[in-house]
Amino acid sequence: MVKFEIHDLNIWFDSTHALKQVNMEIQSNEILSVIGPSNSGKTTFLRTLNRLNDLNTSFKMTGAVELEREDIKRIDVEVLRRKIGMVFALPLPLPLSIFENVAYGIRMHGENKKKVLEDKVEEALQQAYLWEEVKDRLDESAFKLSGGQQQRLCIARTLAVGPEVILFDEPCSGLDPISTAKVEDAMIKLKQKYTIVLVTNNVKQAARVGDRTAFFLSGELIELDKTDKIFTTPQDKRTDGYIRGKFG
Amino acid sequence: MRNPYRTQRVAFFFLLLATLLIVIPVGLIVVVIIQKGLPAINWQFLSDMPRQGMRAGGIFPAIVGTLYLVSGAILFALPIGLLAAIYLSEYAKDNLLTRIIKLAIVNLAGVPSVVYGLFGLALFVVFLKFGASILAGSLTLGIMILPVIITTSREALESVPQSFREVSLSLGASKWQTIRHIVLPNAIPGILTGTILGLGRAAGETAPILFTVAAFYLPRLPKSIFDQAMALPYHLYVISTQVPNVDEKIRYGTAFVLLTLVLFMNLVAIIIRYKFRKKKKW
C-alpha cells in the first residue's frame, strides 16, 4: 500500500532552492533510507512530511505531499503530526522526568487518567527496548540517562502518541556503535507496525536497515530503488560515486 | 623596549581602579545610611503614625502606602507585560512593525520617570477622573515598569531552546500547548527576575507618584484605592527638603527602610535566578 505520494515537490528557503521537482512514493511498512551528502535536502525532505518546515518563516513550497491520498495541507497540523512522529538527530529529552517525557504527547492530546498513561508509557518504553533499564527510575530527570538511552526515550516518546509513520533524522549521529545497533534493532522491529523514513549520513546504516534507498544530491532525487540494487547496480554513476565514498 | 608584562599590569591596574570607583560610592552610601539610619529603627518607628508635623513618631503609613502602590503596579503590569512578551516572542511575525514596537518598548525604559508622572496625571488623575489616588499612582508606576517586564520576559522566553518547541510540536501539541507546557515553565525564573527588578524600581521612584497619589502628610491608612496615600520615597523627599527641623535620625531611618526594601527585593531576584540556574540542564 502507498503511504505517501509526492508530486512535483519544490522547496525554497528565501532564494535557496532546497528541493527540486521531487516525485516519489513511500510504501506502508517499509524502511525507506534517505542518503546523500550534507546540504542535499534530505532533512528538508523529512521535515516537509510532518510540516515542521512551516516554522521557518522563509519556507516556500510548491507541489503536493499526500498522506494516504489526502493532501497534508488539508489535514489539521496537530493531527498530522500525531500520525507522523519524528526522532531528531540529537537526543532531545524535554526538561521533565522520564515518565513525563513519554507521557507528554498523550497528555497534550487530552488523556489524563493515571492508569491509561502508565500503561501507554510502559508499552512505549517496551517497544523502544528501554523499559527494563528505566522501570525503577521513571521519576528521575530524563537528562540523567546516557545518550543512547535518551535517544531510545525519544523513540518511546514518539511511539506513545500512536503514529503511523516515524521519521528518523540521523538518529544515530551522536551515538556509539553499541547504542547505534540497539536503535537499528528497534527500527527493524518497528517496521512491522510503522512506516519508517530514515535520513542518515551513514551509508552502511542505510544498507543495513533500509528496504529501499533514496539518493539525494543538491536538492534532486537522483535515484530511488531497492536497497540491494542501489548498493550493487546503481543506475546513476553519481549514486555509485557517493556510496563508494568518492565524494560527500 | 616595551615590556608586555608591565603593560598588562598597568592595564589590570586601571581596570581594577575603574571597578573600585564604581564599588566605593555604592559601599559608602550603604555604610552611611546604615550608620545614621539604623539607630532610628525600632518597633515604634515602623508601626507608628508620624506626629508633630512629621518631626516625631513613625513612618507606618508611608510603608503601607509603598506596599500598596507596588502591589497595584505589579497586579497591572505583570499580566499585561507577560502577555505582550509572549505575543512578541512567539506569535509576532518578524516585520517592520514588530521591530518598531520592540524598539519603542526598549526606548520606553529610558523615558525619565517624571515624564511618566506627568502622563499619569493627565490620563488617570484628570482625564479618567481617578483623582490623586492609589489607583492612579499604581497604574502610573505599572506603565513605568512595563518595558522592564516585557523586555526581560521576552529574553527569558527566547532563551528557551528552539529544539524544545520543535519536539513538542512534532508530538502533535498545539502551539499554545507548547508555550504553556514547555516554554513558559522554563522561562519563569527570567520572568520573575525581571518582575522583581521592576518592583524594586517602582518602590524607589518619587516622580511618578508625586502628582498621582502621594500625600504630603496623611497620618492614617488609606481607606480605598481611590484614597491618597503616603509613600516612602516621597516622604523622604518631604522630610528632607520641605519640613524644617526634622531630626537627622528620622530622615536616615526612612532612607534605611526604603533601601532595605529595595535591596531585599533585588536579593530575592538574585536567589531565584541562582536556584533555577542550578537546576537548568541544557
Side-chain angles (χ1 to χ4, degrees), chain B residues 239-251:
Chain B
I239 57 176
S240 305
T241 61
Q242 307 297 304
V243 181
N245 305 325
V246 177
D247 190 357
E248 192 185 69
K249 230 174 70 175
I250 293 186
R251 283 186 272 151

Side-chain angles (χ1 to χ4, degrees), chain A residues 96-97 99-114 117-118 120-121 160-161, chain B residues 173 177 181:
Chain A
L96 302 167
S97 71
F99 182 89
E100 287 303 326
N101 256 283
V102 184
Y104 180 79
I106 320 169
R107 274 193 201 280
M108 291 305 110
H109 303 144
E111 184 58 69
N112 267 322
K113 290 193 204 77
K114 202 167 171 241
L117 286 173
E118 281 173 354
K120 288 202 170 183
V121 167
V161 183
Chain B
Q177 285 178 323
H181 295 279

Side-chain angles (χ1 to χ4, degrees), chain B:
Chain B
M1 204 181 82
R2 276 172 64 163
N3 180 340
Y5 295 105
R6 187 187 296 159
T7 317
Q8 172 168 294
R9 271 210 296 278
V10 171
F12 278 170
F13 172 74
F14 278 107
L15 293 173
L16 180 68
L17 194 69
T19 313
L20 285 179
L21 281 178
I22 301 164
V23 173
I24 287 171
V26 175
L28 275 179
I29 291 171
V30 173
V31 167
V32 168
I33 288 179
I34 290 178
Q35 206 176 35
K36 296 191 174 180
L38 197 58
I41 306 298
N42 53 44
W43 181 241
Q44 194 214 351
F45 184 71
L46 295 175
S47 66
D48 217 355
M49 300 291 160
R51 274 178 282 115
Q52 295 168 27
M54 295 180 266
R55 291 185 189 83
I59 55 167
F60 185 56
I63 297 177
V64 171
T66 287
L67 290 180
Y68 278 165
L69 287 174
V70 167
S71 321
I74 218 64
L75 231 52
F76 166 69
L78 181 59
I80 295 184
L82 184 56
L83 293 178
I86 292 176
Y87 176 77
L88 284 173
S89 81
E90 306 293 325
Y91 286 100
K93 294 207 169 67
D94 186 25
N95 55 26
L96 188 66
L97 180 68
T98 313
R99 262 174 283 176
I100 290 174
I101 291 176
K102 287 181 182 171
L103 191 69
I105 290 170
V106 172
N107 279 316
L108 268 180
V111 171
S113 53
V114 68
V115 177
Y116 284 106
L118 214 55
F119 173 77
L121 174 69
L123 179 64
F124 300 123
V125 179
V126 179
F127 183 72
L128 293 174
K129 299 200 174 63
F130 293 158
S133 60
I134 292 180
L135 182 62
S138 294
L139 291 173
T140 309
L141 285 173
I143 289 181
M144 183 187 76
I145 61 173
L146 258 181
V148 182
I149 292 184
I150 295 177
T151 311
T152 47
S153 301
R154 239 186 63 213
E155 277 165 13
L157 293 167
E158 280 164 9
S159 73
V160 176
Q162 181 65 19
S163 55
F164 286 176
R165 290 165 227 245
E166 287 192 353
V167 165
S168 172
L169 293 171
S170 81
L171 290 167
S174 69
K175 188 159 182 176
W176 172 245
Q177 285 178 323
T178 301
I179 293 171
R180 165 74 187 72
H181 295 279
I182 298 297
V183 181
L184 265 184
N186 289 297
I188 278 177
I191 294 167
L192 276 181
T193 310
T195 306
I196 295 167
L197 291 178
L199 275 181
R201 182 151 180 235
E205 284 285 352
T206 314
I209 57 173
L210 191 58
F211 319 123
T212 54
V213 51
F216 185 81
Y217 179 55
L218 191 72
R220 60 172 174 80
L221 295 184
K223 293 196 188 79
S224 79
I225 56 168
F226 293 104
D227 206 353
Q228 278 192 298
M230 295 180 84
L232 281 172
Y234 183 63
H235 183 64
L236 181 59
Y237 163 74
V238 166
I239 57 176
S240 305
T241 61
Q242 307 297 304
V243 181
N245 305 325
V246 177
D247 190 357
E248 192 185 69
K249 230 174 70 175
I250 293 186
R251 283 186 272 151
Y252 277 97
T254 308
F256 179 82
V257 172
L258 179 58
L259 189 74
T260 310
L261 202 70
V262 174
L263 287 184
F264 175 73
M265 285 189 218
N266 288 353
L267 187 71
V268 171
I270 291 168
I271 291 172
I272 291 175
R273 199 162 37 181
Y274 176 75
K275 282 214 155 157
F276 278 91
R277 212 173 260 170
K278 255 181 32 183
K279 264 176 67 183
K280 205 154 126 175
K281 292 287 182 1
W282 66 88

Side-chain angles (χ1 to χ4, degrees), chain A residues 1-4 25-31 195-196 212:
Chain A
M1 208 178 84
V2 177
K3 197 77 186 170
F4 279 105
E25 288 176 354
I26 300 173
Q27 303 289 333
S28 290
N29 301 82
E30 73 168 342
I31 298 184
T195 303
I196 292 177
R212 293 194 304 155

Side-chain angles (χ1 to χ4, degrees), chain A residues 2-3 23 38 49 53 64 103 105 107 150 160 231 244 246:
Chain A
V2 177
K3 197 77 186 170
N23 282 285
S38 39
L49 299 180
N53 282 329
R107 274 193 201 280
Q150 285 185 8
F231 282 91
R244 284 164 187 272
K246 286 187 181 150

Side-chain angles (χ1 to χ4, degrees), chain A:
Chain A
M1 208 178 84
V2 177
K3 197 77 186 170
F4 279 105
E5 272 176 74
I6 292 140
H7 304 292
D8 301 329
L9 178 66
N10 281 282
I11 284 172
W12 291 265
F13 292 104
D14 286 326
S15 57
T16 314
H17 201 169
L19 280 184
K20 297 167 192 161
Q21 205 61 23
V22 173
N23 282 285
M24 65 191 282
E25 288 176 354
I26 300 173
Q27 303 289 333
S28 290
N29 301 82
E30 73 168 342
I31 298 184
L32 175 74
S33 305
V34 179
I35 57 171
S38 39
N39 276 325
S40 58
K42 313 182 296 274
T43 297
T44 301
F45 170 72
L46 201 66
R47 290 164 69 99
T48 308
L49 299 180
N50 67 348
R51 290 183 56 189
L52 217 52
N53 282 329
D54 294 14
L55 302 182
N56 194 324
T57 46
S58 60
F59 168 73
K60 219 170 66 203
M61 154 179 169
T62 63
V65 178
E66 289 175 2
L67 174 66
E68 289 174 344
R69 303 203 164 274
E70 199 179 359
D71 192 324
I72 57 167
K73 280 184 194 155
R74 291 171 175 239
I75 307 174
D76 248 358
V77 71
E78 287 88 14
V79 175
L80 176 79
R81 289 182 187 146
R82 218 176 299 173
K83 286 187 181 174
I84 306 175
M86 184 166 200
V87 177
F88 294 83
L90 293 171
L92 285 171
L94 294 168
L96 302 167
S97 71
I98 295 171
F99 182 89
E100 287 303 326
N101 256 283
V102 184
Y104 180 79
I106 320 169
R107 274 193 201 280
M108 291 305 110
H109 303 144
E111 184 58 69
N112 267 322
K113 290 193 204 77
K114 202 167 171 241
K115 182 78 187 118
V116 181
L117 286 173
E118 281 173 354
D119 288 349
K120 288 202 170 183
V121 167
E122 175 173 351
E123 191 192 332
L125 285 168
Q126 297 267 20
Q127 279 189 302
Y129 301 97
L130 191 59
W131 175 250
E132 289 303 320
E133 293 162 57
V134 300
K135 63 181 177 188
D136 299 321
R137 46 193 287 216
L138 291 172
D139 291 329
E140 280 180 27
S141 160
F143 291 103
K144 287 195 175 166
L145 298 172
S146 74
Q149 287 173 326
Q150 285 185 8
Q151 195 58 308
R152 277 178 285 146
L153 179 73
C154 294
I155 295 176
R157 183 174 68 189
T158 307
L159 295 175
V161 183
E164 298 166 12
V165 182
I166 306 172
L167 312 174
F168 287 91
D169 185 9
E170 299 172 32
C172 303
S173 55
L175 303 185
D176 62 89
I178 293 169
S179 304
T180 300
K182 283 187 183 171
V183 172
E184 286 179 7
D185 279 352
M187 273 191 271
I188 290 169
K189 292 194 176 105
L190 291 172
K191 187 176 81 167
Q192 292 156 14
K193 278 181 72 179
Y194 308 94
T195 303
I196 292 177
V197 184
L198 165 70
V199 162
T200 178
N201 272 325
N202 181 340
V203 175
K204 287 186 186 133
Q205 183 173 56
R208 280 196 297 268
V209 299
D211 297 309
R212 293 194 304 155
T213 296
F215 173 60
F216 278 78
L217 183 64
S218 316
E220 281 177 81
L221 173 63
I222 304 294
E223 198 169 347
L224 168 59
D225 214 327
K226 291 227 157 48
T227 298
D228 323 346
K229 261 195 96 183
I230 291 273
F231 282 91
T232 50
T233 51
Q235 300 300 303
D236 195 294
K237 62 176 191 300
R238 287 170 293 182
T239 314
D240 191 46
Y242 180 70
I243 59 178
R244 284 164 187 272
K246 286 187 181 150
F247 66 91

